[in-house]
Amino acid sequence: MIIVLKQDATEAQIEHILEKIREWGLTPSLSRGEERSIIGVIGNESILRVKPVDVFPGVDYTMNVVKPYKLANAAFHPARTVIELPALKGAPPVRIGGNDLVVMAGPCAVESREGLLEVAQCVKEAGATVLRAGAFKPRTSPYAFQGMGVKGLAILAEAREKYGLHIVSEVMDTRDVEMIAEMCDIIQIGARNMQNFNLLKVVGRCDKPVMIKRGLSSTIQELLMSAEYVMSQGNHRVILCERGIRTFEPMTRNTLDLSAVPVLNRESHLPVIVDPSHGTGHWDLVSPMACAAVAAGTDGVMVEVHPRPEEAFSDGSQSLLPEKFRLMMKQMRAIAGAVGKTM
Amino acid sequence: MIIVLKQDATEAQIEHILEKIREWGLTPSLSRGEERSIIGVIGNESILRVKPVDVFPGVDYTMNVVKPYKLANAAFHPARTVIELPALKGAPPVRIGGNDLVVMAGPCAVESREGLLEVAQCVKEAGATVLRAGAFKPRTSPYAFQGMGVKGLAILAEAREKYGLHIVSEVMDTRDVEMIAEMCDIIQIGARNMQNFNLLKVVGRCDKPVMIKRGLSSTIQELLMSAEYVMSQGNHRVILCERGIRTFEPMTRNTLDLSAVPVLNRESHLPVIVDPSHGTGHWDLVSPMACAAVAAGTDGVMVEVHPRPEEAFSDGSQSLLPEKFRLMMKQMRAIAGAVGKTM
Amino acid sequence: MIIVLKQDATEAQIEHILEKIREWGLTPSLSRGEERSIIGVIGNESILRVKPVDVFPGVDYTMNVVKPYKLANAAFHPARTVIELPALKGAPPVRIGGNDLVVMAGPCAVESREGLLEVAQCVKEAGATVLRAGAFKPRTSPYAFQGMGVKGLAILAEAREKYGLHIVSEVMDTRDVEMIAEMCDIIQIGARNMQNFNLLKVVGRCDKPVMIKRGLSSTIQELLMSAEYVMSQGNHRVILCERGIRTFEPMTRNTLDLSAVPVLNRESHLPVIVDPSHGTGHWDLVSPMACAAVAAGTDGVMVEVHPRPEEAFSDGSQSLLPEKFRLMMKQMRAIAGAVGKTM
Amino acid sequence: MIIVLKQDATEAQIEHILEKIREWGLTPSLSRGEERSIIGVIGNESILRVKPVDVFPGVDYTMNVVKPYKLANAAFHPARTVIELPALKGAPPVRIGGNDLVVMAGPCAVESREGLLEVAQCVKEAGATVLRAGAFKPRTSPYAFQGMGVKGLAILAEAREKYGLHIVSEVMDTRDVEMIAEMCDIIQIGARNMQNFNLLKVVGRCDKPVMIKRGLSSTIQELLMSAEYVMSQGNHRVILCERGIRTFEPMTRNTLDLSAVPVLNRESHLPVIVDPSHGTGHWDLVSPMACAAVAAGTDGVMVEVHPRPEEAFSDGSQSLLPEKFRLMMKQMRAIAGAVGKTM
């Protein structure tokens, strides 16, 4: 940690700070500058992190030097994490991370048995290996469709069985984790729950991969800290998902921050997925942004597909029609080749 | 709802839309403009809200006209909500809303029995009527102090008993709601859980007032929709809290959006509290912003007070020393008088 | 325009509004809803745009339906604009827009004659056709290097002559427009001057293509309105440039909004360039984001290249080394092929 | 400056950096940490600021310790700046800064001679001492009213003469500075020109006070750097103006960042003005936010007043009616008293 002193910090104030630091078992190093002086602190920075050093008299502000994420940090884990989902119905196992590019597709929500099976077949045929669909839906309005719940999970299980697709679905409540972990292949933490720390702790004790969506106003570091929560409980199979952040721009539902992909690839060893459906909110922007995500180095893409968006209960305007989805898959495959990935 | 058509919408497309609207039991009204035409829809707009009209061929975009919050909407409830907390130890009952200005003060977290009782006495003497302190703490890092939990709640109950202060404390998990509702006078939903919809539903079935903090990137309308969630379950005693939003400005921890106060006063009948401690992140900005909040028309202020910020486990840098707190109370009282409130 | 009335609007207020609209030569159309009524206005909306209809008693708010950009609007100009720069030294003419992908490269600023010629040769050999370098530099600090000015322009002219590269350089002052227009092939309006309307008007009367960079907090619509300023003066050869917007994320200098590329391609007929150097601020993010821009459908990329970033006067940390630039060109070429563009 | 090294920085890389720093005449101080090492640099930091130290091999990132603003910095100028405008027509001189609270009021733009004189009389009678009105107007659309120009300035001069009000008006072009400086008492730099550095330099050589409005997405530090530009040219009479920043919140035109007031009061010695009209965009929010600004410690307030907002050419919806303005003045006066200011 660097402690930047005020220009008018007194000798007594400086001495008090140095003393405290030594008391905590750390070694301070004072550098006197022309305008202001600074104290560098050597040793285990995590001790300092919980000390409100910036309120000590004479201190202007402090800066952390060491990154707060350890288990998610590429510097400590040079080998990239590859998450393998078990082989289903004779298909090869799905690998998330590494050179493979995974496609997760499906409707926003499970709306009916027939509808889900129809989409499942369609995305399977087009090359997706993971089926996405919400059984529990976080909705801004209490008056909107809240998802089919347990019944939706059963329908997902049937689609899994029938088409050999892995299932990713969202959990919103600590009380539901066990049930969802049992029925799904990947547990999704939604953007609005990225900092629901109790939920993170509970999924951190599950034996299923967890995909964490970046919060609407969460920094990349906060996303990594949420991964750290899950990993600190023992579950190291974490997938990070960029799905757009909130900015002032009204022409898109969110601003898809694709630069998060190379930043996460540099900072962390965990696989990264991009969701251009929520990231843009408009079906006609999904395909260009999915292709861009592949070019930027993502490990996979998650998109919403619906055969009759006019009838969707939610997110119809950002859902791709099956034929658009197939076209997008073709384009993505070409770009994947250009950047050394296989789909 | 207004449906704005594309410039090149065909007659067949327009006819299809009009037909669908009539099918849903609503009355469309087509206006043909020079450049583009629009369809206004009369009738129960909530039917339309769940229809993805913007994906119909020929539609450019849609705009809602009717506000989605009903129970929280001032237009339907002209009388302002005043929440009364029961009289404690002979003191007059505390009223939140109306002409009274309430002050909620205390440490960020319960850290020890002695520490809490010391702060309780101090804020009581300075004129606060509600004691704030977290027993369960949402922390960005899994390695940071997570709160004293149930033990912290017991200490809060003791302070309540001893000093006649009402208690406000945060709930983070649906499993803890019952326990916290029993021991506290106001249940707090933290900013990171503002859209934890399951939690909102559970507190909506409690018999205690609920204070909802605005999420870091939540719009004012989304805050009102979260209030609507609680109210839709039967609990109408909701308090709204502005605590700063996330912007690009690095000199403050958040940007305290004080204009939310007059906007909420216009849009809703619910009382509004401002938290300048989290809103600014620096103790020296707390007092000017608390005073500004009073001038802007807030119903109360929530601030962090700690006798030894150097020793605080969290948020030390934004905590006021007791003497600064007393000074702030004096200034707030003078301003409250100038805007017709009593403290 | 749609005028949304307050729930308690009186008949007299409604009548007053209808009357005024008719007075302005427009036709109002009143729809009475269950909760609130609306007035649609047919006719030339530009008349209404300058009337403060939202302050009329009884009005809640108004919404524009017609887009304010006309000359830049794809709906009125279905043919996409392709800007051709004259053939230099026997090379084929450079086309910006259409199926060609243009690369503009060079140092942040002209720093010396030798340095510039060295970079010019390098980017020419790697396949760039436009040389970028600032002679006049907008710098946050008055104490930072402000550019070589007129001397820098002369050096750029020499590089143009020697290597057959077209020149793009920034103008910051209405007084300098004529001189820069004479010496450069493309006049650049920097992000900080995107809404310097007088400057836009003056370049709008030049006979050179103008590239407008999106302001740090400008919406896509505002960018199009700045293009409209230039075009309204007669100069229709406008290029739009996405270079990152300001958000709360600190890990990148700006957040490169790549979804602006497909949005601009849909809304406008003007060519779009992406600048991943300013968009990210870190050289190691430039190449992935340049590739992503190509996949998203950009008409070109602008990047900073410097042979010795350690010695750059500005933006060294976001400049590519020549060998990294060559590698990036190779990757971009592969992706361009996958999306049907040629480089 | 602090140079944070990568975890895997080699000894040769570290040695190279230390050598370079010494070459530049500065003294490096290396602290070896457990995880990573840092180099503190003592001496004139402005030398380092122009060196791209963060691209040196082995460097992770760098942090500036010394603030880049000198002339605007409170640490170097403990006495607060008070700007005195000359006495007009027997009235006492107007002082901006110190214990006085100044009110600048008037229409958005000069629209006609009669209209301006009417507003001037009204704001004068209500207690304002400075008249605001634009003669040159920055408008997002080229098709909107662009201001009366020179004719507007002449009308302002007449109002000044007749009512003894000082005039503040915006300059948008380096070519107009001389003319506006001659006719106005305060030259205004608008938000969109806050980083029009050439314009800042030219007004920095004028003999009139300059009020700089904060850009829509400018940090407080950038605002201070723009003040530094003006001051570096010799003109030290600079006024800072907070007028709202751009955020994701759609219910207000901008988000008025009132915490900027105490931050600027701490960081700088220059007077601070708040503009709640542009800051909120709605007349009904102006008065609460003006009062809040006074409570937060502003040196003055700038508001838009129009007797017939329905007829305003621009910004009608955020203009106060004269009777609302008078009421606001009364409330502000009461609050000013509570915080020790006189109006």
Side-chain angles (χ1 to χ4, degrees):
Chain A
M1 179 182 275
I2 307 294
I3 301 167
V4 180
L5 300 173
K6 288 189 177 151
Q7 266 181 288
D8 57 1
T10 64
E11 285 305 309
Q13 288 171 339
I14 295 176
E15 200 37 62
H16 173 67
I17 299 163
L18 296 175
E19 208 170 290
K20 276 284 176 187
I21 292 168
R22 288 190 206 102
E23 233 171 63
W24 297 327
L26 303 165
T27 310
S29 148
L30 175 68
S31 305
R32 292 185 186 273
E34 265 180 32
E35 283 185 21
R36 50 175 69 207
S37 299
I38 57 173
I39 299 172
V41 187
I42 320 262
N44 185 346
E45 188 161 303
S46 64
I47 297 172
L48 269 180
R49 214 177 279 281
V50 298
K51 305 287 184 188
V53 183
D54 38 357
V55 297
F56 278 62
V59 173
D60 192 358
Y61 59 100
T62 62
M63 299 184 283
N64 288 315
V65 168
V66 172
K67 288 171 181 164
Y69 38 95
K70 302 296 170 202
L71 301 169
N73 192 335
F76 297 110
H77 305 267
R80 303 200 70 75
T81 290
V82 177
I83 294 170
E84 196 169 305
L85 305 179
L88 288 183
K89 294 186 62 105
V94 169
R95 293 159 53 89
I96 304 175
N99 287 326
D100 291 10
L101 192 74
V102 72
V103 175
M104 308 178 176
C108 178
V110 187
E111 295 167 350
S112 72
R113 183 178 165 278
E114 294 66 34
L116 189 81
L117 293 177
E118 181 185 353
V119 181
Q121 182 175 3
C122 149
V123 302
K124 171 77 181 184
E125 286 171 3
T129 51
V130 179
L131 178 66
R132 63 140 294 151
F136 299 91
K137 298 299 301 172
R139 303 302 301 278
T140 306
S141 167
Y143 310 123
F145 173 61
Q146 310 272 317
M148 290 183 73
V150 186
K151 267 172 102 168
L153 288 178
I155 296 171
L156 283 169
E158 186 182 344
R160 183 181 193 272
E161 183 58 32
K162 189 158 182 186
Y163 295 107
L165 285 163
H166 293 90
I167 303 296
V168 56
S169 201
E170 178 166 354
V171 65
M172 291 170 62
D173 195 315
T174 49
R175 300 170 299 185
D176 299 334
V177 170
E178 203 176 338
M179 178 176 62
I180 288 172
E182 198 165 310
M183 298 187 89
C184 298
D185 300 280
I186 303 173
I187 306 169
Q188 179 178 315
I189 299 291
R192 283 168 187 76
N193 280 310
M194 194 199 90
Q195 294 197 317
N196 182 336
F197 301 115
N198 285 32
L199 189 58
L200 295 175
K201 284 181 193 167
V202 177
V203 299
R205 293 190 288 267
C206 284
D207 190 30
K208 280 286 166 71
V210 176
M211 183 168 78
I212 308 176
K213 293 192 124 184
R214 181 178 180 187
L216 275 76
S217 67
S218 298
T219 63
I220 293 173
Q221 178 164 310
E222 286 169 346
L223 172 58
L224 289 168
M225 289 309 289
S226 288
E228 192 84 8
Y229 254 98
V230 175
M231 298 171 87
S232 72
Q233 303 297 312
N235 187 349
H236 286 216
R237 293 195 294 165
V238 175
I239 302 162
L240 307 169
C241 180
E242 162 63 33
R243 48 79 71 213
I245 56 173
R246 189 159 264 183
T247 70
F248 57 82
E249 174 57 54
M251 281 227 197
T252 43
R253 183 173 172 183
N254 295 289
T255 295
L256 190 67
D257 178 13
L258 279 189
S259 54
V261 175
V263 170
L264 286 170
N265 282 343
R266 181 188 69 202
E267 295 291 319
S268 177
H269 52 92
L270 298 171
V272 177
I273 299 290
V274 170
D275 174 352
S277 302
H278 286 89
T280 65
H282 296 280
W283 68 266
D284 64 322
L285 304 176
V286 170
S287 184
M289 295 311 283
C291 290
V294 176
T298 188
D299 295 304
V301 159
M302 178 187 236
V303 290
E304 291 185 1
V305 176
H306 200 288
R308 286 171 301 282
E310 290 193 14
E311 296 170 12
F313 291 1
S314 54
D315 282 353
S317 56
Q318 70 196 30
S319 293
L320 287 179
L321 285 168
E323 66 260 31
K324 302 274 182 198
F325 177 62
R326 281 187 288 267
L327 198 63
M328 184 192 86
M329 291 292 277
K330 210 176 128 189
Q331 286 184 299
M332 277 171 60
R333 210 168 267 126
I335 294 167
V339 297
K341 296 238 175 181
T342 52
M343 217 174 105
Chain B
M1 178 183 274
I2 306 294
I3 302 168
V4 180
L5 299 172
K6 286 186 178 154
Q7 268 180 290
D8 57 1
T10 65
E11 286 305 308
Q13 288 171 341
I14 295 175
E15 200 38 61
H16 173 67
I17 299 163
L18 296 175
E19 208 170 290
K20 277 283 178 187
I21 292 168
R22 288 191 206 102
E23 233 172 64
W24 298 327
L26 303 166
T27 310
S29 147
L30 176 68
S31 305
R32 292 186 187 272
E34 267 180 30
E35 283 185 20
R36 50 174 69 208
S37 299
I38 57 173
I39 298 171
V41 187
I42 320 263
N44 184 344
E45 189 162 302
S46 64
I47 296 172
L48 271 180
R49 214 178 280 281
V50 299
K51 305 287 182 187
V53 183
D54 37 356
V55 298
F56 278 62
V59 172
D60 192 359
Y61 59 100
T62 62
M63 300 186 281
N64 288 315
V65 167
V66 172
K67 288 174 180 163
Y69 39 94
K70 303 296 170 201
L71 302 169
N73 192 333
F76 297 109
H77 305 267
R80 304 201 68 76
T81 290
V82 177
I83 294 170
E84 195 170 306
L85 305 179
L88 287 182
K89 294 187 62 106
V94 169
R95 293 160 53 89
I96 305 175
N99 287 325
D100 290 10
L101 193 75
V102 70
V103 176
M104 308 178 176
C108 178
V110 187
E111 296 168 348
S112 72
R113 183 178 166 279
E114 293 66 34
L116 188 81
L117 293 178
E118 180 185 354
V119 181
Q121 182 174 5
C122 147
V123 302
K124 170 76 181 183
E125 286 171 4
T129 52
V130 180
L131 179 65
R132 62 141 294 151
F136 299 91
K137 297 300 299 172
R139 304 300 301 277
T140 306
S141 167
Y143 310 123
F145 172 61
Q146 309 274 316
M148 289 183 75
V150 186
K151 269 173 102 167
L153 288 179
I155 295 171
L156 283 169
E158 186 181 345
R160 183 180 192 273
E161 184 59 32
K162 188 158 184 187
Y163 296 107
L165 285 163
H166 294 90
I167 303 295
V168 56
S169 201
E170 179 167 354
V171 64
M172 291 170 62
D173 196 315
T174 49
R175 299 171 299 188
D176 300 335
V177 169
E178 204 177 338
M179 178 175 63
I180 288 172
E182 199 166 309
M183 298 187 88
C184 298
D185 300 279
I186 303 172
I187 306 171
Q188 179 178 316
I189 299 290
R192 284 169 186 76
N193 280 311
M194 192 200 90
Q195 293 197 317
N196 182 335
F197 301 116
N198 285 31
L199 189 58
L200 295 175
K201 284 180 193 168
V202 177
V203 299
R205 294 190 287 267
C206 285
D207 190 30
K208 281 285 166 71
V210 175
M211 183 169 78
I212 308 177
K213 294 191 122 184
R214 182 178 180 188
L216 275 75
S217 68
S218 298
T219 62
I220 292 172
Q221 178 164 310
E222 286 169 345
L223 172 59
L224 289 169
M225 289 309 290
S226 289
E228 192 83 9
Y229 255 98
V230 175
M231 298 171 89
S232 73
Q233 303 297 313
N235 187 349
H236 286 215
R237 293 195 292 165
V238 175
I239 302 161
L240 307 168
C241 179
E242 162 63 35
R243 46 78 73 211
I245 56 173
R246 189 159 264 186
T247 69
F248 58 82
E249 174 57 55
M251 281 226 195
T252 43
R253 181 173 172 183
N254 296 290
T255 296
L256 190 66
D257 178 13
L258 278 189
S259 53
V261 175
V263 170
L264 287 169
N265 282 344
R266 181 189 69 203
E267 296 290 319
S268 178
H269 52 93
L270 298 170
V272 178
I273 299 290
V274 171
D275 173 352
S277 302
H278 287 88
T280 63
H282 297 281
W283 67 264
D284 63 324
L285 304 176
V286 170
S287 184
M289 295 311 282
C291 290
V294 175
T298 189
D299 295 304
V301 159
M302 178 187 236
V303 291
E304 291 186 1
V305 176
H306 200 289
R308 287 170 299 283
E310 291 194 13
E311 295 170 13
F313 291 1
S314 55
D315 283 352
S317 55
Q318 70 195 32
S319 292
L320 287 179
L321 286 167
E323 67 262 30
K324 301 274 182 199
F325 176 63
R326 280 188 288 267
L327 198 61
M328 185 192 84
M329 291 292 277
K330 209 176 129 190
Q331 286 184 299
M332 277 171 60
R333 210 168 267 126
I335 294 166
V339 296
K341 295 237 176 184
T342 52
M343 218 173 105
Chain C
M1 177 182 272
I2 307 294
I3 301 168
V4 180
L5 299 173
K6 287 187 177 151
Q7 267 180 288
D8 57 1
T10 65
E11 286 305 309
Q13 288 171 339
I14 295 175
E15 201 38 61
H16 173 67
I17 299 163
L18 296 175
E19 206 170 293
K20 276 283 177 187
I21 292 168
R22 288 190 206 103
E23 230 172 65
W24 298 327
L26 304 165
T27 310
S29 149
L30 175 68
S31 305
R32 291 186 187 272
E34 266 180 32
E35 282 186 22
R36 50 173 71 208
S37 301
I38 56 173
I39 299 172
V41 187
I42 320 264
N44 184 345
E45 187 161 303
S46 64
I47 295 171
L48 271 179
R49 214 178 279 282
V50 298
K51 306 287 183 187
V53 182
D54 38 356
V55 297
F56 277 63
V59 172
D60 192 359
Y61 58 101
T62 63
M63 300 186 280
N64 288 315
V65 168
V66 172
K67 288 173 181 163
Y69 40 94
K70 302 297 171 199
L71 301 169
N73 192 333
F76 297 110
H77 304 267
R80 303 201 68 76
T81 291
V82 177
I83 294 170
E84 195 170 306
L85 305 179
L88 287 182
K89 293 186 63 109
V94 169
R95 292 161 53 91
I96 305 175
N99 288 325
D100 290 10
L101 192 74
V102 70
V103 176
M104 307 177 176
C108 178
V110 187
E111 295 168 349
S112 72
R113 184 178 164 277
E114 293 65 35
L116 187 81
L117 293 178
E118 180 185 354
V119 180
Q121 182 175 3
C122 147
V123 302
K124 171 76 181 183
E125 286 171 5
T129 51
V130 179
L131 178 66
R132 64 140 294 151
F136 299 92
K137 297 300 301 172
R139 303 301 302 277
T140 305
S141 167
Y143 311 123
F145 173 60
Q146 310 273 314
M148 290 183 74
V150 186
K151 269 172 101 167
L153 288 179
I155 296 171
L156 283 169
E158 187 182 344
R160 183 180 193 274
E161 183 60 31
K162 190 158 182 186
Y163 295 107
L165 285 163
H166 293 90
I167 303 295
V168 56
S169 200
E170 179 168 355
V171 65
M172 292 170 61
D173 195 314
T174 49
R175 299 171 300 185
D176 300 334
V177 170
E178 204 178 336
M179 180 176 61
I180 288 171
E182 198 166 310
M183 297 186 92
C184 297
D185 299 280
I186 302 172
I187 306 171
Q188 179 178 314
I189 299 291
R192 284 169 186 76
N193 280 310
M194 192 200 89
Q195 293 197 316
N196 182 336
F197 302 115
N198 285 30
L199 188 58
L200 295 174
K201 284 179 192 167
V202 177
V203 299
R205 294 190 287 267
C206 285
D207 189 30
K208 281 285 167 70
V210 176
M211 182 169 78
I212 308 177
K213 294 191 123 184
R214 182 178 181 187
L216 276 75
S217 68
S218 297
T219 63
I220 292 173
Q221 177 164 310
E222 287 169 346
L223 173 58
L224 288 169
M225 289 309 288
S226 289
E228 192 83 8
Y229 256 98
V230 175
M231 298 171 89
S232 72
Q233 303 297 312
N235 187 349
H236 286 215
R237 294 195 292 165
V238 174
I239 302 161
L240 306 168
C241 179
E242 163 62 34
R243 46 78 73 210
I245 56 173
R246 188 159 266 183
T247 70
F248 58 82
E249 174 57 56
M251 280 228 196
T252 43
R253 182 173 171 183
N254 296 290
T255 295
L256 190 66
D257 178 13
L258 279 189
S259 53
V261 175
V263 170
L264 287 169
N265 282 343
R266 182 188 69 202
E267 296 290 319
S268 177
H269 52 92
L270 298 171
V272 177
I273 298 289
V274 170
D275 173 353
S277 303
H278 287 88
T280 63
H282 296 280
W283 68 265
D284 64 323
L285 304 175
V286 170
S287 184
M289 295 311 281
C291 290
V294 175
T298 189
D299 294 304
V301 158
M302 180 188 234
V303 291
E304 290 186 359
V305 175
H306 200 289
R308 287 172 299 283
E310 290 194 14
E311 295 171 13
F313 291 1
S314 55
D315 283 353
S317 56
Q318 70 195 33
S319 293
L320 287 178
L321 285 168
E323 66 261 30
K324 302 274 183 199
F325 177 62
R326 279 187 289 267
L327 198 62
M328 183 191 86
M329 291 292 276
K330 210 176 130 190
Q331 286 184 299
M332 278 171 61
R333 209 168 268 126
I335 294 167
V339 296
K341 295 238 177 183
T342 53
M343 216 174 106
Chain D
M1 178 182 274
I2 307 294
I3 302 168
V4 181
L5 299 173
K6 287 186 177 151
Q7 266 181 290
D8 57 1
T10 65
E11 285 306 310
Q13 288 170 340
I14 296 175
E15 199 39 61
H16 173 67
I17 299 162
L18 296 175
E19 205 170 293
K20 276 284 175 186
I21 292 168
R22 287 189 207 103
E23 232 172 63
W24 297 328
L26 303 166
T27 310
S29 147
L30 176 68
S31 305
R32 291 184 188 273
E34 266 180 31
E35 283 185 21
R36 50 176 68 210
S37 300
I38 56 173
I39 300 172
V41 187
I42 320 261
N44 184 345
E45 187 162 304
S46 65
I47 296 172
L48 270 180
R49 212 177 280 279
V50 298
K51 306 287 184 188
V53 182
D54 38 357
V55 297
F56 277 63
V59 173
D60 192 358
Y61 59 99
T62 62
M63 300 185 281
N64 289 315
V65 167
V66 172
K67 288 172 181 164
Y69 38 93
K70 303 295 170 200
L71 301 170
N73 193 333
F76 298 110
H77 305 268
R80 302 200 69 76
T81 291
V82 177
I83 294 170
E84 195 168 308
L85 305 179
L88 288 182
K89 293 185 64 105
V94 169
R95 293 160 53 90
I96 304 175
N99 288 326
D100 290 10
L101 192 74
V102 71
V103 176
M104 307 179 178
C108 178
V110 187
E111 296 168 348
S112 71
R113 184 177 165 278
E114 292 65 35
L116 188 81
L117 293 178
E118 182 186 351
V119 181
Q121 182 176 2
C122 147
V123 302
K124 171 77 182 183
E125 285 172 5
T129 51
V130 179
L131 178 66
R132 65 141 293 151
F136 298 92
K137 297 299 302 172
R139 303 302 300 278
T140 305
S141 168
Y143 311 123
F145 173 60
Q146 309 272 316
M148 290 184 73
V150 186
K151 269 171 100 167
L153 289 179
I155 296 171
L156 284 168
E158 187 183 342
R160 181 180 194 272
E161 182 59 30
K162 189 158 181 185
Y163 295 108
L165 285 162
H166 293 90
I167 304 295
V168 56
S169 201
E170 179 168 353
V171 65
M172 291 170 61
D173 196 315
T174 48
R175 298 171 300 186
D176 299 335
V177 170
E178 203 176 337
M179 179 176 61
I180 288 171
E182 198 165 310
M183 298 187 90
C184 297
D185 300 279
I186 303 173
I187 306 171
Q188 179 178 315
I189 299 291
R192 285 169 186 75
N193 280 310
M194 193 201 90
Q195 293 197 316
N196 182 336
F197 301 116
N198 285 32
L199 189 58
L200 295 175
K201 284 180 192 167
V202 177
V203 299
R205 293 189 289 267
C206 285
D207 190 29
K208 281 285 166 71
V210 175
M211 182 168 79
I212 308 177
K213 293 191 122 183
R214 182 178 179 187
L216 275 75
S217 67
S218 298
T219 62
I220 293 173
Q221 178 164 311
E222 287 170 345
L223 173 58
L224 289 169
M225 289 311 287
S226 289
E228 192 84 8
Y229 254 98
V230 175
M231 297 171 89
S232 72
Q233 302 297 311
N235 187 349
H236 286 216
R237 293 195 294 166
V238 175
I239 301 161
L240 307 168
C241 179
E242 162 63 34
R243 48 79 72 211
I245 56 173
R246 190 160 263 184
T247 71
F248 57 82
E249 174 56 54
M251 281 228 198
T252 43
R253 182 173 172 183
N254 296 288
T255 296
L256 190 66
D257 178 13
L258 279 189
S259 53
V261 174
V263 170
L264 286 170
N265 282 344
R266 180 188 70 202
E267 295 291 318
S268 177
H269 52 93
L270 298 170
V272 177
I273 299 290
V274 170
D275 173 353
S277 303
H278 287 88
T280 64
H282 296 279
W283 68 264
D284 63 323
L285 305 176
V286 169
S287 184
M289 295 310 283
C291 289
V294 175
T298 189
D299 295 304
V301 159
M302 180 187 235
V303 291
E304 291 185 1
V305 175
H306 200 289
R308 287 170 301 282
E310 291 193 14
E311 296 170 12
F313 290 1
S314 55
D315 283 352
S317 56
Q318 69 195 31
S319 292
L320 287 179
L321 285 167
E323 66 262 30
K324 302 275 182 199
F325 176 63
R326 280 187 288 266
L327 199 61
M328 184 192 87
M329 291 292 277
K330 212 178 128 188
Q331 286 184 299
M332 278 171 59
R333 209 167 268 125
I335 294 167
V339 297
K341 296 237 176 185
T342 52
M343 215 173 109

